[in-house]
């Protein structure tokens, strides 16, 4: 009895019956395969055997030969596509790179021009910058004097000791401050402010700094030939500066220093000393403070110092 084979079984039997024809670039099977890959009929993702069975012209060649040819053509197509994509991205990169650099140069040139215009001409009354640089239109502006500003705060030389009593374990702070030169006894005061966090030192300016004629007595003496007088421009300049700091000649000019404390202390200053060294003419304020232990710490209203 004769056996009836299906189309699939017939194609399977052809695997061994196909002649071993050599595939070249001019072979009809190769030309057809390239066309199908080019127009998308064959995506390139199919199994080589399924592609081989799809066309009789493919089955005229051995499956192994066709598989090798199919893989080579597909890989070359993918490689060629990657090269094209790389070339496109490279062109886009070059375009953006040169375009951005070009815009950067234009921006910097415009920025430098604007800055030059601003420095040379300055803003007008309407607060708009002059954009066109015309040196013939630049007007020279007279230089005006600035007011002399003297700060009334200063930073002294000081040292802080935070310690604890061995018996009562009460925390304490001792502050040693070197006074500015010329500040004598009674010309300064200290107090605790900012709810016990800051020690404030106020010093009065010494006479050589606030009495202009006393400051220049060396040059106003007969021995020096009276190099300056009370109406000399230099002395009048000092007087002008002092008038900005006091209302009249009898008013005291003071400066203030504020020293931050490591712990919160009582507003009452337990002890304070005014220590002087004759060897180097230094004068020190030596202050003992006690940490807050209750809410009934008294305020030290007296400004008397123990002079040592």
């Amino acid at each position: 009895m004769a056996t009836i084979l299906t189309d699939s079984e017939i194609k399977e039997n052809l695997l061994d019956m196909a002649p071993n024809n050599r595939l070249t670039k001019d072979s009809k099977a190769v030309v057809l395969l390239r066309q199908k890959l080019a127009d998308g009929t064959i995506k390139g993702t199919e199994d080589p055997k399924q592609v081989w069975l799809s066309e009789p012209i493919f089955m005229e060649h051995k499956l192994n030969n066709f598989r090798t040819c199919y893989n080579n053509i597909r890989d070359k197509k993918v490689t060629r596509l990657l090269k094209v994509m790389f070339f496109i991205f490279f062109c886009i990169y070059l375009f953006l790179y040169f375009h951005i650099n070009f815009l950067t140069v234009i921006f910097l040139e415009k920025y430098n021009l604007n800055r030059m215009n601003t420095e040379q001409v300055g803003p007008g009354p309407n607060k708009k910058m002059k954009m066109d640089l015309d040196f013939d239109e630049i007007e020279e502006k007279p230089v005006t004097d600035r007011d002399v500003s003297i700060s009334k705060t200063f930073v002294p030389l000081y040292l802080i000791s935070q310690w604890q009593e061995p018996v009562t374990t009460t925390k304490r702070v001792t502050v040693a401050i070197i006074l500015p030169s010329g500040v004598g006894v009674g010309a300064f005061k200290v107090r605790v402010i900012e709810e016990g966090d800051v020690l404030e030192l106020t010093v009065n300016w010494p006479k050589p700094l606030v009495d202009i004629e006393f400051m220049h007595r060396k040059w106003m003496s007969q021995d020096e030939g009276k190099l300056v007088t009370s109406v000399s421009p230099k002395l009048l300049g000092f007087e002008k500066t002092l008038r900005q700091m006091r209302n009249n000649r009898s008013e005291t000019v003071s400066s203030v220093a504020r020293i931050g404390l490591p712990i919160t202390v009582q507003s009452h200053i337990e002890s304070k000393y005014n220590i002087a060294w004759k060897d180097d003419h230094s004068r020190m304020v030596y202050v003992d403070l006690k940490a807050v232990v209750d809410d009934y710490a008294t305020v030290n209203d007296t400004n008397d110092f123990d002079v040592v």
Side-chain angles (χ1 to χ4, degrees), residues 12-52:
E12 289 290 339
N13 292 333
L14 290 174
L15 290 174
D16 298 326
M17 298 173 58
N20 190 15
N21 295 338
R22 181 180 180 184
L23 286 167
T24 65
K25 64 178 182 179
D26 297 325
S27 300
K28 293 181 180 181
V30 175
V31 174
L32 180 61
L33 179 61
R34 290 182 185 276
Q35 290 177 354
K36 287 184 174 294
L37 285 171
D39 60 20
T41 305
I42 299 176
K43 305 298 183 182
T45 58
E46 298 88 342
D47 183 71
K49 181 179 178 181
Q50 297 299 325
V51 177
W52 181 78

Side-chain angles (χ1 to χ4, degrees), residues 154 156-159 176-181 201 277 282-285:
F154 72 104
L157 300 175
Y158 67 92
L159 198 62
I177 312 170
I178 293 295
L179 292 172
S181 177
L201 168 66
W277 288 272
S282 298
R283 185 173 291 276
M284 173 186 289
V285 176

Side-chain angles (χ1 to χ4, degrees), residues 191-202:
R191 62 173 182 161
V192 176
I193 61 173
E194 300 294 338
E195 298 182 352
D197 293 331
V198 176
L199 181 68
E200 182 183 77
L201 168 66
T202 303

Side-chain angles (χ1 to χ4, degrees), residues 14-15 24 29 52 154 164 168 179 211 218 227 236 286 294 302:
L14 290 174
L15 290 174
T24 65
W52 181 78
F154 72 104
Q164 183 173 294
T168 62
L179 292 172
D211 189 334
K218 170 181 172 59
L227 298 178
L236 293 177
Y286 192 89
D294 53 49
T302 177

Side-chain angles (χ1 to χ4, degrees), residues 112-122 129-140:
N112 291 333
L113 180 61
N114 291 345
R115 186 176 63 175
M116 188 180 301
N117 287 334
T118 303
E119 293 176 352
Q120 296 291 338
V121 180
M129 299 298 178
K130 185 175 180 180
M131 301 303 298
D132 297 327
L133 186 62
D134 188 353
F135 290 95
D136 295 333
E137 297 180 1
I138 298 177
E139 298 180 0
E140 293 186 1

Side-chain angles (χ1 to χ4, degrees), residues 233-244:
K234 184 190 299 184
L235 275 67
L236 293 177
F238 280 115
E239 290 288 356
K240 179 182 177 182
T241 303
L242 281 175
R243 281 198 298 271
Q244 300 176 16

Side-chain angles (χ1 to χ4, degrees), residues 240-260:
K240 179 182 177 182
T241 303
L242 281 175
R243 281 198 298 271
Q244 300 176 16
M245 307 178 68
R246 61 184 180 183
N247 297 321
N248 52 68
R249 289 179 176 270
S250 61
E251 184 177 342
T252 302
V253 180
S254 303
S255 290
V256 177
R258 294 180 176 88
I259 301 172

